[in-house]
Amino acid sequence: MIRIRVPLVRPLVRCTFKRILRVLPSVLLLLFVFSLIFVTLMQIAVIHSHRRNHFFPTRHDAVPSSNATLRPTTVLGVPSLSVTKALPHRRPDTLRVEAFLDKTAPTLEGNVAIVKNMVNCARVRRILDNLGTEVSKARVRVLKGMKNKTAINGINAKKNCCSVGFKWQRRKACTRVPPLGGRLRLDVSLHNRTDVEELLRRSPYLRGRGSWTPRDCVPQHRVALIIPYRDRLEHLSTLLYTLHPLLQRQLLEYRVYVVEQYGNETFNKGVLMNAGVREALRDNDFHCFVFHDVDMIPEDDRNLYSCPEMPRHLSVAVDKFNYTLPYALLVGGVFSIRLEHFLAVNGYSNLYWGWGGEDDDMAYRIRYRKLEIIRPPETLARYSMIKHDHRPESPNAIRTALLRMAKKRSSRDGLNTVKYRVVWRHEHLAYTHLMVDIGKHHRWQFLNGQRLIINF
C-alpha cells in the first residue's frame, strides 16, 4: 500500500478564495451605495453653503476692517462714501448689494415732527377758513337787514358783521354706520370727464377740487384718496363716476387727489403715493388715507372707506382672481391706513421702479411694526378690474433682493426720503390733479451684473 502526501494548505486556501469570490459582489455593491450617499451629501452641503454666501454676507463683508478704505464716489448724481476691500474668498457670481445713504434726509423721528407741524398748520388754516366763511355769511345777513346800505362804509360793516347776527351752528355727529344700499349696479363702461362733472353738479354740498362734506351732521372721518395715475383718463373717469356717490352715502368728509408722474420714465407707484400724502397734509389734517388703483371699481357700498383701527385691505375679492385672496400679505389694490400708522411704517418704499413690489414691501413694514392687517368680508369687499395692458414689471431678482431688506431699510427708505417736484396743480370739479416730477433719484442699478447699487 502506497501513501500519498497531500498538503493541508491547498484546500484551505482554495475554500477561502471561493468564499471571497462569493462575497465580493455584495461588498462592492455596499461600497457603491455608501459612496453614492456620501457624494450626494457633499453636493447638498456645497449648494447650501453657496446659497448662504449668496444671500448673507460674511463677517468680513458686513463690517469693514481696519485695512478697508473709504473713497468718495458719485452714484446717480449723488456724492457718497463707499467701502472698498479686496475679497479673494468671495465667489464671482454672488450678487453684492451696496447702499448709499443720503445724510441730508431727516430721520424717522424728525420726519414725524415735520409732518406733525404740517398737520398743525393745516388745522389752523382750516379753522381760519371756516371762521372766514361764517363771518362772510354773517356780513351778508347784516347787509341785507340794514335799511340804508349806502350810508355805511366797509369798516362799520365789518364791525356789525362780527357783532350782529354771527353765531355758530351746532350740528350733531354723523351716525357711525350710515344706511347703505348694498350691492351696486356696476357700470364698467368707460366714461369721460364730462359725465363725472355732470353727476357731481347734481350732488349737494360739493366743494369742488374733488372734496365733499355732509352739512346735516359732523363727519367722524376726514379721508384723502390718493390715486397714482398715468395716461388713463377714461379709467379714472369711470372710477370717479362710481366712487363719488359711494363716499357721499358713507357720510365721509373726503378729497380725491390724482397724482400723475411727469415724463416718460419708468413708473414708480411708491414715490407717487408718498408725494400724494405730503401734498394732502398741506391742505388739511386728514385722519387717514386710502390708496386706490385707478382700475379697481367697487361693487358694494357697504365696504367702508372710513378710518380703521388697524391698516385695512379693502380689495379682498377681485374678479380677476375669481373673487379670492391670492396670498395672505396682499395689501395692493385698495388700501386704507391711519396717519399715525403711515408715519410709523415710514410710508411706501421709493425703490420699486416698474410694476409690483411696493405693496408687498408695505406688508412687511406693517408686520415689522407689529401692526395687524384687517380685511372686510369677501362678500362686501368685491371689486371689478378694468381690463388694460399692465406696465412693465421690475426685474424679479431686484424685487426679491429689495424685499429681503425691507425691514432693515424701512427707516431710511420711505416718506422721510421721498424726493419730488410739483410741476403744476389743477383743481377740477371731480379731483385735485397733481403733476409730480420724481426724476431719477431713488433708482438702483447693476454694475457688471454682480453689484446692486441702491441710492436712498
Side-chain angles (χ1 to χ4, degrees):
M1 184 175 183
I2 301 175
R3 293 183 178 181
I4 300 175
R5 298 180 63 182
V6 179
L8 300 178
V9 179
R10 290 182 180 179
L12 181 60
V13 172
R14 190 180 296 113
C15 293
T16 304
F17 184 71
K18 289 181 179 179
R19 290 177 181 176
I20 291 175
L21 290 178
R22 287 195 299 265
V23 177
L24 183 61
S26 301
V27 174
L28 293 178
L29 181 61
L30 290 176
L31 290 177
F32 175 75
V33 171
F34 281 115
S35 62
L36 187 61
I37 295 174
F38 177 77
V39 171
T40 304
L41 293 177
M42 291 298 296
Q43 289 180 350
I44 294 175
V46 170
I47 293 174
H48 177 73
S49 177
H50 176 71
R51 289 181 177 178
R52 183 176 181 84
N53 292 332
H54 182 79
F55 293 112
F56 300 97
T58 60
R59 182 176 301 177
H60 298 287
D61 299 335
V63 182
S65 59
S66 58
N67 58 357
T69 59
L70 290 174
R71 58 183 180 86
T73 59
T74 302
V75 178
L76 306 175
V78 179
S80 306
L81 293 179
S82 63
V83 181
T84 60
K85 183 183 178 181
L87 299 174
H89 62 280
R90 194 175 184 89
R91 293 182 178 272
D93 57 345
T94 302
L95 179 63
R96 181 177 178 181
V97 180
E98 296 182 5
F100 293 84
L101 305 180
D102 185 6
K103 295 183 179 181
T104 61
T107 61
L108 188 60
E109 294 77 11
N111 181 65
V112 172
I114 293 174
V115 172
K116 287 184 178 180
N117 290 335
M118 294 171 57
V119 171
N120 292 332
C121 293
R123 188 175 294 129
V124 172
R125 192 181 305 111
R126 174 187 174 86
I127 294 174
L128 294 178
D129 291 342
N130 292 336
L131 182 61
T133 302
E134 295 295 335
V135 170
S136 300
K137 292 181 180 179
R139 184 170 180 267
V140 170
R141 291 196 299 267
V142 170
L143 293 178
K144 286 183 178 179
M146 298 185 65
K147 296 180 180 180
N148 189 4
K149 299 179 182 179
T150 59
I152 191 168
N153 54 20
I155 298 178
N156 293 332
K158 183 180 292 187
K159 290 181 180 179
N160 291 333
C161 76
C162 295
S163 59
V164 181
F166 176 75
K167 61 180 180 179
W168 293 101
Q169 297 180 356
R170 294 184 179 182
R171 298 177 296 168
K172 62 180 180 179
C174 297
T175 56
R176 185 174 297 273
V177 182
L180 301 173
R183 193 64 57 87
L184 303 176
R185 292 182 178 179
L186 197 61
D187 183 11
V188 294
S189 59
L190 298 180
H191 296 271
N192 52 36
R193 185 184 298 172
T194 306
D195 297 338
V196 182
E197 293 180 351
E198 290 295 332
L199 175 68
L200 293 179
R201 286 190 181 97
R202 297 193 299 267
S203 62
Y205 312 131
L206 185 69
R207 296 180 174 180
R209 304 172 299 176
S211 62
W212 184 88
T213 183
R215 292 296 180 90
D216 299 332
C217 59
V218 179
Q220 298 185 1
H221 305 283
R222 283 191 297 275
V223 184
L225 270 83
I226 311 296
I227 303 177
Y229 167 81
R230 175 187 269 183
D231 297 335
R232 289 159 68 179
L233 181 59
E234 292 180 343
H235 295 174
L236 176 63
S237 301
T238 303
L239 172 63
L240 297 179
Y241 191 85
T242 306
L243 201 57
H244 274 292
L246 182 147
L247 296 175
Q248 294 174 13
R249 287 194 297 269
Q250 294 183 3
L251 300 180
L252 298 174
E253 180 181 353
Y254 68 90
R255 184 169 180 178
V256 179
Y257 290 88
V258 176
V259 188
E260 183 175 359
Q261 181 174 336
Y262 179 76
N264 296 322
E265 290 293 330
T266 307
F267 194 74
N268 193 318
K269 182 179 174 183
V271 177
L272 295 182
M273 291 187 288
N274 288 334
V277 170
R278 282 197 172 273
E279 294 303 315
L281 291 177
R282 299 180 189 274
D283 298 334
N284 204 341
D285 54 331
F286 293 102
H287 298 154
C288 63
F289 302 91
V290 177
F291 302 96
H292 208 298
D293 286 354
V294 73
D295 56 352
M296 303 293 289
I297 309 299
E299 298 183 5
D300 200 310
D301 61 0
R302 293 172 294 179
N303 188 15
L304 298 180
Y305 280 69
S306 58
C307 299
E309 296 297 330
M310 285 289 175
R312 181 166 57 194
H313 180 224
L314 298 177
S315 55
V316 179
V318 184
D319 60 348
K320 179 181 178 180
F321 306 112
N322 296 324
Y323 294 102
T324 58
L325 187 67
Y327 53 94
L329 289 180
L330 178 64
V331 295
V334 185
F335 179 63
S336 177
I337 186 172
R338 284 185 173 270
L339 174 60
E340 55 267 24
H341 296 158
F342 193 77
L343 294 178
V345 301
N346 198 20
Y348 283 88
S349 173
N350 303 310
L351 300 178
Y352 293 90
W353 294 77
W355 181 79
E358 67 281 340
D359 299 321
D360 295 334
D361 191 281
M362 170 59 75
Y364 285 120
R365 293 177 180 227
I366 293 173
R367 188 173 63 176
Y368 172 59
R369 295 296 176 181
K370 297 181 180 180
L371 299 174
E372 181 184 359
I373 301 174
I374 60 177
R375 292 183 173 89
E378 294 183 358
T379 56
L380 303 181
R382 297 170 61 91
Y383 286 80
S384 294
M385 180 179 291
I386 303 176
K387 295 181 180 180
H388 63 282
D389 296 331
H390 288 281
R391 59 182 183 268
E393 294 186 6
S394 57
N396 188 33
I398 304 300
R399 189 165 62 246
T400 303
L402 292 176
L403 288 176
R404 289 181 179 273
M405 299 184 298
K407 182 174 69 173
K408 294 183 179 180
R409 58 179 171 77
S410 61
S411 60
R412 282 289 186 175
D413 170 32
L415 188 64
N416 62 335
T417 59
V418 63
K419 299 177 182 179
Y420 65 94
R421 178 178 63 90
V422 179
V423 180
W424 47 257
R425 178 189 183 109
H426 293 165
E427 294 181 348
H428 302 284
L429 182 64
Y431 57 93
T432 299
H433 194 178
L434 301 174
M435 181 64 73
V436 176
D437 181 14
I438 64 177
K440 302 179 181 180
H441 297 291
H442 313 270
R443 185 180 287 277
W444 38 254
Q445 70 176 20
F446 270 125
L447 291 181
N448 300 326
Q450 299 174 7
R451 295 172 59 193
L452 174 62
I453 307 297
I454 301 177
N455 180 30
F456 290 93

